[in-house]
Amino acid sequence: MDVNLQFWSTEGKSFFQRFLHWADILDPTTLLKSNEEIEKSRLLLQTGAQTLQEPLRDKKVKQAWKLSLSSVHPGTGEIIPLVFRPPAFLPLVTPLVFASLLPQRGAKQAFIWQFLFHAYAAGFTIANGNATAKTEETALPQKLPEKQLLLSTGAISYAACIGAFPHFVMTQNRVNNPSMQTFFRKILPIPLLACLTAFNVMIVRGTECENGIEVMDKNGKVVGVSQKAGLKAVQETALSRAAFFGTAVIIPESLLYFLQRTNFLLSNPHTLTPLRLLMTVSALGALLPVSFSVFPQLGEIKRDDLEKEILTSTEETVLFYNRGV
């Protein structure tokens, strides 16, 4: 079992524990660390047995855990590309979310922002998903990237088209009714964003449901590859992602709705856009560690819920898997 997963097995048993750790791991200053520093941190954690038993008492060890958890994939042990590391998610996704929800001049401009947002979300999902190696019986390794690329491209394009639909309706039909304008500009985009981000995760990580992911016993020994565990991991990630974006967008929009009914925004109309940006950044920043903490990073699944071939290979009642982010 990778040291990152060993960390979550001891330090991620409760939501509050996971939340505190993610709030620390998402520190964007870790993006400034070099690959050499990250590799040294990993070496310290892998060679020091005491670091697994008392991971947070020593300042140097604590910093090593922070670098490892924020920069290294627990399935492959490889360093995640800089722009797809968890600490880079908020700085990069915030302007894309904000721009995609602003009133656009036309459907084409709306499509471009939606495409950029879902393309980045797909890249982040791939880089932080479960990296179970596929066997010859389940899938040919050399063909998997092509299939995943086609699925991802299709999911991104479809999500961008559906996401831009409200803007298309507004520009093509020239809707003048205030109620319809409010519906297409402020109400419909929010559930669409939540549903499409979940759809993005389900399609992009669909190979995990199809081919399965590794399940382990409490000692980290791999006992088999399970499609049911793969489906559970993808569903949990999709649900947390949808709840994150839906909640993070509806909070500032609701607050702005009430503020617009007061004299403050009526007398200061130019403050609307910067205020919306400030509220969006605050909501996304506050809810991101919550989203990553809702489900355990080291997921659990009962043996009885797995395939028959796994039932006969172990007597453990509960097995574990890497959920991904």
Side-chain angles (χ1 to χ4, degrees):
M1 184 185 290
D2 184 83
V3 290
N4 284 5
L5 293 180
Q6 291 181 43
F7 176 91
W8 289 119
S9 68
T10 58
E11 294 290 325
K13 293 182 179 180
S14 70
F15 167 81
F16 187 66
Q17 270 187 318
R18 296 192 296 270
F19 174 79
L20 292 178
H21 288 313
W22 273 117
D24 186 41
I25 294 167
L26 292 171
D27 179 5
T29 59
T30 58
L31 300 172
L32 303 177
K33 302 297 183 180
S34 65
N35 287 0
E36 184 180 354
E37 290 178 280
I38 297 171
E39 290 170 355
K40 287 182 178 179
S41 297
R42 291 281 291 181
L43 185 61
L44 171 65
L45 299 175
Q46 291 168 345
T47 56
Q50 74 280 1
T51 60
L52 298 177
Q53 300 170 359
E54 302 178 5
L56 301 178
R57 295 187 181 181
D58 184 85
K59 186 176 181 181
K60 185 177 180 181
V61 173
K62 183 177 180 180
Q63 182 63 22
W65 278 116
K66 185 175 179 179
L67 275 179
S68 179
L69 293 167
S70 65
S71 309
V72 179
H73 194 289
T76 63
E78 298 177 357
I79 297 175
I80 302 170
L82 182 68
V83 296
F84 295 130
R85 294 176 194 171
F89 187 73
L90 182 64
L92 292 177
V93 85
T94 299
L96 296 176
V97 171
F98 182 74
S100 64
L101 293 174
L102 284 176
Q104 306 293 341
R105 295 180 180 179
K108 183 178 180 180
Q109 188 178 8
F111 173 82
I112 292 173
W113 282 114
Q114 289 284 337
F115 187 88
L116 291 174
F117 166 72
H118 288 291
Y120 176 75
F124 181 85
T125 300
I126 293 172
N128 293 276
N130 187 290
T132 296
K134 306 301 184 295
T135 63
E136 293 183 1
E137 290 79 9
T138 56
L140 294 175
Q142 65 268 25
K143 290 186 177 181
L144 180 63
E146 297 178 6
K147 181 178 181 180
Q148 192 170 36
L149 179 62
L150 289 174
L151 288 172
S152 301
T153 303
I156 293 166
S157 302
Y158 178 79
C161 289
I162 300 300
F165 175 74
H167 301 280
F168 175 79
V169 173
M170 292 291 295
T171 54
Q172 291 296 111
N173 299 305
R174 297 181 180 179
V175 177
N176 296 319
N177 186 294
S179 298
M180 294 301 292
Q181 286 183 346
T182 300
F183 175 75
F184 281 106
R185 285 180 177 174
K186 298 182 179 180
I187 299 177
L188 183 59
I190 296 175
L192 273 182
L193 177 66
C195 293
L196 290 173
T197 50
F199 168 80
N200 189 317
V201 173
M202 293 297 296
I203 298 300
V204 169
R205 288 181 60 179
T207 52
E208 296 177 27
C209 305
E210 180 181 351
N211 300 314
I213 61 175
E214 291 179 345
V215 289
M216 304 163 283
D217 61 20
K218 60 184 178 182
N219 297 316
K221 179 184 177 182
V222 177
V223 297
V225 176
S226 170
Q227 294 176 330
K228 293 182 179 180
L231 178 61
K232 187 172 184 286
V234 175
Q235 286 179 336
E236 289 174 344
T237 305
L239 180 60
S240 63
R241 195 75 59 84
F244 165 62
F245 281 110
T247 307
V249 172
I250 200 171
I251 289 175
E253 289 298 329
S254 300
L255 292 174
L256 285 172
Y257 172 78
F258 290 109
L259 286 174
Q260 284 176 319
R261 299 171 66 91
T262 67
N263 294 329
F264 174 74
L265 286 181
L266 291 176
S267 59
N268 301 276
H270 297 295
T271 62
L272 180 61
T273 299
L275 189 59
R276 174 183 275 115
L277 177 60
L278 177 62
M279 289 183 175
T280 302
V281 171
S282 301
L284 289 170
L287 292 174
L288 184 59
V290 175
S291 172
F292 287 169
S293 307
V294 171
F295 297 104
Q297 191 65 30
L298 188 64
E300 297 183 5
I301 188 169
K302 294 180 180 179
R303 190 190 67 160
D304 295 339
D305 295 335
L306 296 172
E307 291 82 351
K308 292 182 179 180
E309 54 269 24
I310 298 179
L311 295 177
T312 59
S313 62
T314 181
E315 294 184 357
E316 296 280 345
T317 57
V318 177
L319 297 173
F320 303 89
Y321 58 89
N322 173 28
R323 179 178 66 84
V325 179

